[in-house]
Amino acid sequence: MIPIVIKPRGRLGNLMFQLMLALKIQERLDCKSEIFGISIPEWNIFKERGPALKNPLLLSGHTFDLDEVCYLLRSGAVDGVLINGWGMRVEYYGDPRLYNQIFPPQKQESFFGDDVILVNVRAEDITSGRYRGYYPLPLDYYEKVIRESGRHPVFFGQLDGQSYIDILKEHFSEAEFLPQASPIVDFGRLRSAKHVCLSISSFAWLGTWLSSVAETIHMPVAGIFDPRPGIQNLIPANDPRYHYWEVKIPSMKERSKIDSMLWISNYSGSRKIEKRMLHSIIAAGATRRVNNKVFQEFINRSAPGK
């Protein structure tokens, strides 16, 4: 029996990614294996702590060669795998409908009609700017998405007691702001809306990706949603539900020199990403195993202005 041990890291969205990665490794192994180490009470998932591995294959971060991982596990060169990362790369996971049995839709008190766009807000710890892949999104992004949608905005998410939320409420004074709820309630809201505007959040991404109801999903290509650094890739390129927006959030160096709340109010560069530009972004984020000379030529041809 091959042990697949998860070292839990993060909140609900991160834990779900860790479990999905473990399940994909288990599926590819096609031999006796068992998952250990993770509990997600929201989905009634409780796994035992698992054995202490003496010579494990350690998976950190997001980018892995899953075929090579399974080869090493089958060979006996390692005595198991320890998942210390998350694997936020959509190409690992296939059809989102495969996960409905693991993360079943729950009964919801809130249902959103076709005239509503549900707008997710990520705030709390990311407003400090200390997390590289996250940043509060500007008014300009939300404004342009809402305008294109032509629907009534309903904001929800991390909405308690911050100046960022005050700015949003003042600017979108005619919008509805739902009371802050538990993560599992918010996850259900994401899955029950036809039209959604995402913040930079793996939790929000999973909620809409898993949805069988969503018809349009507006997604900012920024932070962890920007595949160009070659780390995460959460762009489901062939999924027609998605509409992509370029938002250039400040770099880590820039963040130390600016007032984030002024930037949120004054930024005006959000723009819709067309198909050709999206192809260039996806190509630029290809991992090293496929980023060869021919592929680089494609990236150069696809760049804006070419």
Side-chain angles (χ1 to χ4, degrees):
M1 187 273 294
I2 297 174
I4 302 170
V5 181
I6 299 171
K7 182 179 180 181
R9 295 182 63 196
R11 294 189 276 191
L12 182 59
N14 287 344
L15 297 177
M16 290 171 68
F17 266 110
Q18 288 188 298
L19 180 59
M20 287 165 57
L21 180 61
L23 289 166
K24 271 299 165 185
I25 293 171
Q26 189 174 52
E27 177 188 302
R28 284 169 176 254
L29 276 172
D30 196 27
C31 60
K32 190 173 182 181
S33 60
E34 188 171 350
I35 296 171
F36 297 97
I38 193 166
S39 293
I40 311 179
E42 291 88 347
W43 303 114
N44 200 31
I45 294 168
F46 301 94
K47 301 290 185 181
E48 295 178 5
R49 184 173 180 179
L53 302 176
K54 294 181 179 179
N55 183 34
L57 177 63
L58 179 64
L59 300 185
S60 297
H62 301 278
T63 306
F64 318 114
D65 182 332
L66 296 185
D67 290 328
E68 191 169 49
V69 167
C70 292
Y71 166 76
L72 289 168
L73 290 169
R74 289 193 208 98
S75 73
V78 294
D79 62 353
V81 60
L82 178 60
I83 296 176
N84 189 49
W86 304 275
M88 293 183 192
R89 297 193 65 90
V90 69
E91 65 266 28
Y92 297 159
Y93 300 113
D95 191 324
R97 290 173 294 185
L98 298 172
Y99 303 94
N100 280 335
Q101 287 187 333
I102 304 155
F103 310 122
Q106 297 182 315
K107 291 182 179 179
Q108 289 301 309
E109 296 179 2
S110 300
F111 294 92
F112 305 97
D114 192 58
D115 60 335
V116 165
I117 181 166
L118 189 65
V119 182
N120 179 247
V121 176
R122 176 79 193 270
E124 291 185 355
D125 53 336
I126 72 161
T127 58
S128 68
R130 67 178 182 269
Y131 298 108
R132 184 179 299 275
Y134 297 88
Y135 205 70
L137 288 166
L139 300 177
D140 177 68
Y141 162 70
Y142 288 126
E143 194 173 70
K144 287 175 179 174
V145 169
I146 292 166
R147 186 187 308 138
E148 176 171 294
S149 174
R151 294 176 167 86
H152 177 66
V154 175
F155 286 78
F156 83 108
Q158 297 173 339
L159 297 181
D160 277 355
Q162 294 188 41
S163 54
Y164 178 44
I165 307 307
D166 293 338
I167 291 170
L168 287 172
K169 287 183 175 180
E170 181 178 355
H171 189 81
F172 298 102
S173 57
E174 296 184 3
E176 181 180 354
F177 285 77
L178 298 179
Q180 185 152 328
S182 68
I184 197 65
V185 168
D186 276 351
F187 202 84
R189 288 169 171 172
L190 286 160
R191 283 176 112 167
S192 64
K194 290 185 177 182
H195 310 284
V196 184
C197 175
L198 295 180
S199 63
I200 304 173
S201 161
S202 58
F203 169 87
W205 186 90
L206 276 171
T208 49
W209 184 69
L210 291 170
S211 173
S212 60
V213 174
E215 296 176 6
T216 57
I217 302 167
H218 295 270
M219 176 174 165
V221 178
I224 64 166
F225 290 165
D226 187 346
R228 283 171 286 196
I231 303 171
Q232 297 100 334
N233 174 28
L234 293 174
I235 293 185
N238 296 319
D239 190 328
R241 300 177 298 173
Y242 284 83
H243 299 250
Y244 299 99
W245 295 79
E246 182 177 35
V247 182
K248 294 182 178 178
I249 62 174
S251 67
M252 294 302 289
K253 186 176 181 180
E254 291 169 335
R255 294 178 197 186
S256 63
K257 301 176 182 178
I258 63 173
D259 182 319
S260 60
M261 295 302 110
L262 282 177
W263 180 87
I264 286 159
S265 299
N266 295 334
Y267 179 84
S268 60
S270 306
R271 61 170 180 156
K272 191 81 175 285
I273 296 174
E274 302 303 330
K275 192 171 185 179
R276 184 178 177 84
M277 180 61 181
L278 182 66
H279 288 167
S280 176
I281 290 169
I282 293 169
T287 58
R288 291 178 183 177
R289 292 180 68 87
V290 296
N291 197 354
N292 57 27
K293 183 178 179 181
V294 174
F295 204 65
Q296 187 61 47
E297 289 174 357
F298 168 77
I299 294 171
N300 294 337
R301 290 197 307 272
S302 301
K306 298 289 185 181

